[in-house]
């Protein structure tokens, strides 16, 4: 499907795009459905109570990922991009105390989280690993309306019907009415060659087919402001992360040391790596604490892109706002191709689809702003993705903390290395990006479910929780 840069980069809250933002959005969509006339409402029937059940990966790691809380907040009518992260705890406490959700414009419904929110690990729903069912009842307990939603990664939510339509119309959706309808890296390179445009210019032309240049630029600047604000907040916070693992926040203390080193002019042979890591960790610590983040392309992988943009601003004297816009457009082009042809969901293909995709996007963005040709940019994305192939998703205790926080740091370092390697060549290389994406898809299909965001294998079962 044609993915706008604003589908790839979405402002929301942590800790997970698929397990927090998606379910919050699904709950809100269900509220809209209740008010609509899109269902056969029996005459005089009044919805008085709601229930939700989580299935597949949402059931297995939903507690650690805050899925239940996200459903409650969504049923209170809040959305990921506008909810105030500092108010979320109070909203949840209120619903638990009253046993009611009271979204604006609705009469209010019974919803007692400990009874009406079920983590159903026994019944996966066919269609996708991240599934949830929302149901509405009348005062006699009669089922009036039920809807299944799938959270397909990056905060995207679809119904069963929409998922089936997406699978049927894959090619058509990818080539929506835009001037450069590339659905693969090969097509992207062919169109760049034929048009003489850069990848960022083609992506800009596609976006400007549906919005003005001013709106596009303002939106891109808002995305970077949100990313940058997240880095800064993460660098200020201390203490332990919520969730019970007792993981210490480290970004602030590492940042303090780096600043001290910078002031004293001490030689640090891995200076750039340290700064990249601390920026990425700051974002992912904020994500783990349910702070405001931007999907890039997911929340779990939200640190890689912002870290590499901050690195670009910090270490490249020619960096400017136009460069950041080009970076985001290029990265979104690559993210869209990966999502269209494989997946960006840890529950579908493991962490190669999350941090691997983020690293590929970041490598492409960096290569673009460092003057790379379309071929060099495609090469940079391929190198970064290739060296994440096979990476599993095994978050300890179902929390987006270990290995996720450090993994973003390493994803950012690999992205810079990939961009640098690609820029030292002429763009000609052995493994095409499309082949690498297809390999990721196949590897994800073959991956045991234990390693796809269920916390039933890998580090999740080998690390003793203290
Ligand atoms: S291991 Fe990777 S895919 Fe899994 S939750 Fe962490 S960041 Fe996301």
């Amino acid at each position: 499907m044609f993915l706008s840069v604003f589908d790839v980069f979405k402002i929301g809250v942590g800790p997970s795009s698929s397990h927090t933002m998606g379910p919050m959005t699904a709950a809100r969509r269900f509220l809209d459905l209740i008010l609509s006339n899109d269902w056969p409402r029996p005459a005089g029937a009044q919805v008085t109570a709601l229930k939700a059940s989580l299935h597949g990966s949402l059931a297995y790691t939903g507690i650690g990922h805050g899925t239940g809380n996200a459903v409650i907040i969504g049923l209170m009518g809040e959305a990921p991009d506008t909810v105030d992260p500092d108010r979320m705890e109070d909203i949840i406490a209120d619903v638990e105390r009253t046993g009611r959700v009271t979204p604006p414009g609705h009469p209010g419904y019974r919803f007692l989280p400990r009874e009406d929110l079920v983590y159903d690990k026994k019944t996966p729903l066919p269609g996708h690993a991240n599934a949830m069912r929302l149901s509405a009842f009348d005062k006699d307990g009669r089922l009036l309306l039920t809807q299944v939603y799938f959270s397909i990664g990056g905060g995207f939510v679809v119904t069963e019907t929409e998922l089936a339509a997406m699978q049927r119309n894959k090619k058509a959706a990818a080539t929506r009415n835009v001037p450069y309808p590339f659905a693969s890296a090969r097509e992207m390179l062919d169109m760049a060659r034929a048009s003489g445009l850069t990848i960022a210019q083609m992506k800009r032309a596609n976006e400007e087919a549906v919005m003005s240049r001013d709106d596009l630029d303002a939106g891109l600047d808002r995305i970077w402001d949100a990313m940058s604000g997240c880095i800064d907040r993460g660098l200020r916070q201390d203490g332990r992360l919520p969730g019970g693992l007792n993981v210490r926040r480290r970004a602030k203390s590492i940042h303090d040391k780096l600043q001290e080193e910078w002031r004293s002019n001490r030689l640090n042979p891995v200076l750039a790596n340290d700064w990249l890591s601390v920026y990425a960790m700051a974002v992912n610590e904020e994500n783990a604490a349910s702070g405001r983040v931007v999907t890039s392309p997911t929340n779990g992988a939200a640190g890689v892109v912002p870290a590499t943009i901050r690195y670009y601003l910090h270490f490249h004297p020619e960096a400017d706002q136009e460069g950041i816009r080009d970076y985001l457009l290029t990265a979104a082009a690559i993210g869209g191709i990966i999502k269209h042809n494989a997946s960006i969901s840890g529950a579908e293909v493991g962490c190669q689809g999350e941090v691997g995709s983020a690293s590929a996007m970041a490598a492409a963005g960096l290569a673009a702003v460092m003057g790379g040709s379309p071929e060099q940019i495609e090469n940079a994305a391929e190198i970064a993705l290739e060296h994440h192939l096979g990476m599993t998703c095994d978050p300890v205790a179902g929390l987006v903390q270990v290995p996720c926080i450090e993994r973003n740091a390493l994803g950012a370092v690999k992205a810079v290395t990939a961009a640098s390697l690609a820029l030292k060549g002429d763009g000609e290389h052995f493994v095409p990006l499309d082949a690498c994406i297809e390999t990721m898809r196949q590897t994800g299909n073959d991956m045991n479910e234990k390693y796809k965001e269920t916390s039933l294998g890998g580090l999740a079962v080998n690390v003793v929780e203290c």
Side-chain angles (χ1 to χ4, degrees):
M1 69 215 224
F2 169 74
L3 276 189
S4 164
V5 63
F6 302 118
D7 291 326
V8 177
F9 299 116
K10 290 193 289 296
I11 299 173
V13 288
S16 167
S17 41
S18 56
H19 287 55
T20 315
M21 286 173 55
M24 197 184 297
T25 303
R28 230 178 95 111
R29 280 189 66 178
F30 189 62
L31 291 176
D32 292 342
L33 181 62
I34 290 174
L35 287 188
S36 76
N37 291 321
D38 293 347
W39 55 287
R41 187 194 300 261
Q46 290 288 341
V47 174
T48 63
L50 306 178
K51 287 185 190 294
S53 59
L54 306 171
H55 303 262
S57 172
L58 294 186
Y60 278 107
T61 59
I63 291 177
H65 284 59
T67 308
N69 291 344
V71 171
I72 295 170
I73 289 171
L75 289 179
M76 285 292 279
E78 301 279 359
D81 57 335
T82 50
V83 66
D84 177 356
D86 294 333
R87 278 191 57 239
M88 292 199 312
E89 264 182 37
D90 290 344
I91 297 173
I92 292 157
D94 214 38
V95 174
E96 280 170 348
R97 189 174 48 77
T98 61
R100 290 185 68 71
V101 287
T102 51
H106 290 253
Y109 309 110
R110 183 205 129 102
F111 187 80
L112 196 55
R114 65 174 174 278
E115 290 175 16
D116 298 323
L117 180 60
V118 176
Y119 292 81
D120 183 350
K121 294 183 182 167
K122 295 206 177 97
T123 329
L125 299 183
H128 195 278
N130 293 332
M132 59 188 286
R133 179 184 287 282
L134 287 151
S135 307
F137 302 84
D138 69 8
K139 65 177 180 359
D140 300 320
R142 222 165 15 129
L143 178 66
L144 297 177
L145 173 67
T146 188
Q147 179 70 269
V148 169
Y149 295 94
F150 298 115
S151 180
I152 59 172
F156 294 91
V157 168
V158 290
T159 62
E160 286 167 302
T161 316
E162 289 163 351
L163 184 69
M166 259 171 66
Q167 285 159 350
R168 261 195 325 273
N169 304 324
K170 216 172 174 199
K171 181 72 185 169
T175 54
R176 214 168 67 181
N177 286 337
V178 291
Y180 301 99
F182 49 82
S184 67
R186 177 76 268 149
E187 288 176 5
M188 178 181 77
L189 290 179
D190 288 346
M191 289 181 197
R193 218 166 284 132
S195 65
L197 297 178
T198 65
I199 293 169
Q201 286 166 336
M202 291 195 297
K203 184 74 180 140
R204 175 174 281 281
N206 287 349
E207 300 287 343
E208 287 180 8
V210 291
M211 73 183 84
S212 72
R213 172 164 287 238
D214 285 350
D215 285 349
L216 175 60
D217 286 341
L220 292 171
D221 296 348
R222 224 175 7 256
I223 293 292
W224 169 239
D225 285 348
M227 288 178 172
S228 187
C230 184
I231 293 176
D232 292 335
R233 263 193 328 279
L235 293 178
R236 284 196 302 268
Q237 308 297 323
D238 237 338
R240 309 260 163 186
L241 291 169
L245 268 189
N246 225 10
V247 169
R248 219 164 17 97
R249 283 185 182 250
R250 286 178 291 163
K252 181 178 185 307
S253 67
I254 296 172
H255 185 241
D256 291 346
K257 283 183 195 135
L258 287 173
Q259 279 189 314
E260 173 52 30
E261 216 173 73
W262 189 270
R263 277 193 294 269
S264 61
N265 247 342
R266 266 203 310 275
L267 179 72
N268 175 355
V270 286
L271 185 71
N273 287 357
D274 282 349
W275 282 98
L276 280 163
S277 299
V278 80
Y279 293 145
M281 289 170 72
V283 171
N284 285 84
E285 288 177 358
E286 274 299 289
N287 181 57
S290 300
R292 171 76 67 229
V293 293
V294 180
T295 60
S296 326
T298 65
N299 278 21
V304 177
V305 164
T308 49
I309 296 180
R310 193 54 93 74
Y311 153 88
Y312 160 64
L313 291 171
H314 191 150
F315 287 94
H316 291 255
E318 76 287 0
D320 60 11
Q321 188 154 28
E322 211 46 59
I324 296 174
R325 292 172 183 162
D326 283 349
Y327 174 117
L328 290 172
L329 289 165
T330 309
I334 299 299
I337 290 171
I338 296 174
K339 179 162 171 43
H340 178 69
N341 294 295
S343 171
I344 56 166
S345 161
E348 272 187 312
V349 294
C351 200
Q352 54 175 354
E354 293 211 13
V355 172
S357 299
S359 191
M361 291 162 58
L366 272 178
V369 294
M370 288 160 73
S373 65
E375 287 77 11
Q376 287 170 315
I377 292 167
E378 185 256 4
N379 187 5
E382 190 283 319
I383 295 171
L385 186 62
E386 182 182 324
H387 301 290
H388 284 90
L389 286 177
M391 195 160 74
T392 60
C393 169
D394 51 358
V396 177
L399 295 164
V400 194
Q401 298 180 6
V402 181
C404 321
I405 295 169
E406 279 177 8
R407 190 163 281 179
N408 275 260
L410 275 290
V413 170
K414 278 193 205 178
V416 173
T417 308
S420 180
L421 278 176
L423 290 173
K424 291 188 172 56
D426 60 5
E428 194 188 317
H429 59 106
F430 202 75
V431 181
L433 177 58
D434 288 330
C436 191
I437 293 171
E438 174 57 15
T439 305
M440 180 176 87
R441 191 189 66 77
Q442 289 177 16
T443 307
N445 280 350
D446 293 342
M447 202 179 270
N448 191 301
E449 295 301 316
K450 286 194 294 189
Y451 304 113
K452 293 200 262 189
E453 215 161 349
T454 55
S455 291
L456 294 174
L459 285 175
V461 297
N462 285 299
V463 174
V464 181
E465 294 174 29
C466 353

